[in-house]
């Protein structure tokens, strides 16, 4: 989940310098302390060295609960990763949802090419699932990208990893995200209007519903991408504002001297 690999994230036998505590704090006070420490260290890009040691199964009954503590560990790891690189866990979920939606869509196209013009209860369910998965996938992926902007703005530095171990979007693609959303929205509108015209000309609803379904999906995806683009532009503006303020504050002393000199000159005049 951090685009890096360690063998045992929950090992309690570890040595670290006191100087890194500020970078890995705060830490929980439960058994999930060690995985949270590991995931924070990985995202903080601290150097970690694993040294193999002889280890055998503990004698007696373990205090760990495989289900309860396992879920706590997993939740702690994902939640900590969201603090550093939200697009990684959210983006992976979004991509999986989009992939499933594409597979269902390809199955629909294949069935249509084979002459299938109607669907049964199972087919209707899969079509509904494809629409939900497609819209949800784009929404979750866009949410992860937007959250990365929030994290970068809060930490005042770019997110180090992104979705695939580096920044998820380049500036060039990022600028066109709004146009992609607008194009998807426009295509959805065109499909809807074409379906309406065909319906008024006598096409039965049994032939048109699939086009309305595609129109709704395209429109919702387009709106989500456009909203994500607007949000990114606002966050970019806030970041630029903070940078301008920081630059002005660095020259604050000289500005005060210049202003005081001008005021004294005006007073003498």
């Amino acid at each position: 989940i951090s685009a890096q690999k360690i063998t045992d994230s929950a090992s309690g036998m570890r040595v670290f310098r006191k100087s890194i505590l500020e970078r890995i704090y705060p830490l929980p006070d439960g058994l999930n302390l060690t995985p949270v420490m590991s995931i924070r260290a990985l995202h903080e890009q601290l150097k970690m060295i694993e040294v193999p040691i002889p280890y055998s199964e503990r004698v007696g009954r373990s205090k760990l609960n495989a289900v309860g503590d396992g879920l706590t560990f997993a939740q702690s790891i994902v939640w900590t990763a969201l603090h550093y690189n939200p697009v990684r866990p959210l983006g992976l979920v979004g991509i999986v949802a989009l992939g499933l939606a594409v597979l269902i869509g390809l199955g629909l196209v294949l069935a249509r090419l084979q002459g299938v013009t109607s669907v049964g209860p199972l087919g209707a369910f899969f079509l509904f699932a494809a629409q939900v998965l497609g819209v949800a996938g784009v929404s979750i992926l866009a949410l992860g990208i937007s959250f990365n902007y929030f994290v970068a703005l809060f930490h005042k530095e770019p997110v180090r990893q992104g979705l695939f171990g580096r920044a998820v979007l380049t500036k060039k693609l990022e600028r066109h995200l709004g146009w992609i959303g607008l194009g998807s929205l426009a295509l959805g509108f065109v499909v809807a209007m074409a379906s309406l015209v065909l319906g008024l000309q006598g096409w039965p609803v049994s032939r048109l519903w699939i086009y309305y379904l595609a129109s709704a999906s395209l429109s919702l995806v387009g709106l989500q991408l456009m909203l994500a683009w607007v949000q990114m532009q606002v966050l970019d503006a806030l970041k630029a504002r903070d940078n301008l303020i920081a630059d002005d504050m660095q020259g604050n002393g000289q500005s005060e001297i210049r202003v005081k000199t001008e005021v004294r000159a005006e007073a003498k005049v």
Side-chain angles (χ1 to χ4, degrees), residues 15-25:
V15 179
F16 53 87
R17 296 180 183 274
K18 181 180 178 181
S19 57
I20 72 167
L21 286 177
E22 184 177 353
R23 299 174 64 181
I24 62 174
Y25 263 36

Side-chain angles (χ1 to χ4, degrees), residues 46-242:
L46 298 174
K47 184 178 180 181
M48 299 178 63
I49 299 176
E50 291 186 295
V51 180
I53 60 172
Y55 184 81
S56 57
E57 187 176 352
R58 177 182 296 179
V59 178
R61 186 175 181 180
S62 174
K63 297 179 181 179
L64 288 175
N65 182 285
V67 177
D69 291 322
L71 290 175
T72 300
F73 282 20
Q75 180 184 3
S76 300
I77 291 172
V78 173
W79 191 253
T80 304
L82 287 173
H83 294 171
Y84 286 93
N85 187 25
V87 77
R88 177 75 174 178
L90 293 177
L92 292 177
V93 172
I95 288 176
V96 170
L98 283 173
L100 292 175
V102 169
L103 287 177
I104 296 175
L106 291 176
L108 174 64
V109 172
L110 182 60
R112 186 68 182 87
L113 293 175
Q114 292 176 349
V116 177
T117 57
S118 61
V119 295
L122 187 61
F125 170 79
F126 278 119
L127 287 174
F128 169 77
Q131 183 180 25
V132 172
L133 288 170
V135 174
V138 172
S139 299
I140 294 172
L141 181 58
L143 180 66
I145 296 171
S146 300
F147 274 2
N148 264 33
Y149 271 71
F150 283 112
V151 171
L153 188 64
F154 178 80
H155 290 294
K156 300 185 184 302
E157 63 180 11
V159 173
R160 298 186 181 98
Q161 294 178 337
L163 179 57
F164 301 109
R166 57 181 184 275
V168 65
L169 288 179
T170 63
K171 286 292 183 182
K172 185 176 180 181
L173 179 59
E174 186 178 297
R175 288 197 301 268
H176 296 298
L177 197 60
W179 292 108
I180 296 174
L182 183 60
S184 178
L185 181 61
L187 182 58
F189 178 78
V190 169
V191 173
M193 291 298 99
S195 301
L196 178 60
V197 171
L198 292 174
L200 293 175
Q201 291 178 352
W203 279 37
V205 177
S206 59
R207 294 184 63 185
L208 293 174
W209 68 269
I210 186 64
Y211 300 108
Y212 281 122
L213 183 66
S215 171
S217 299
L218 289 169
S219 299
L220 291 173
V221 168
L223 283 173
Q224 181 61 52
L225 290 175
M226 290 176 64
L227 290 174
W229 178 81
V230 170
Q231 188 177 52
M232 292 174 194
Q233 300 308 304
V234 172
L235 293 175
D236 269 340
L238 291 174
K239 182 179 179 181
R241 177 176 178 269
D242 286 343

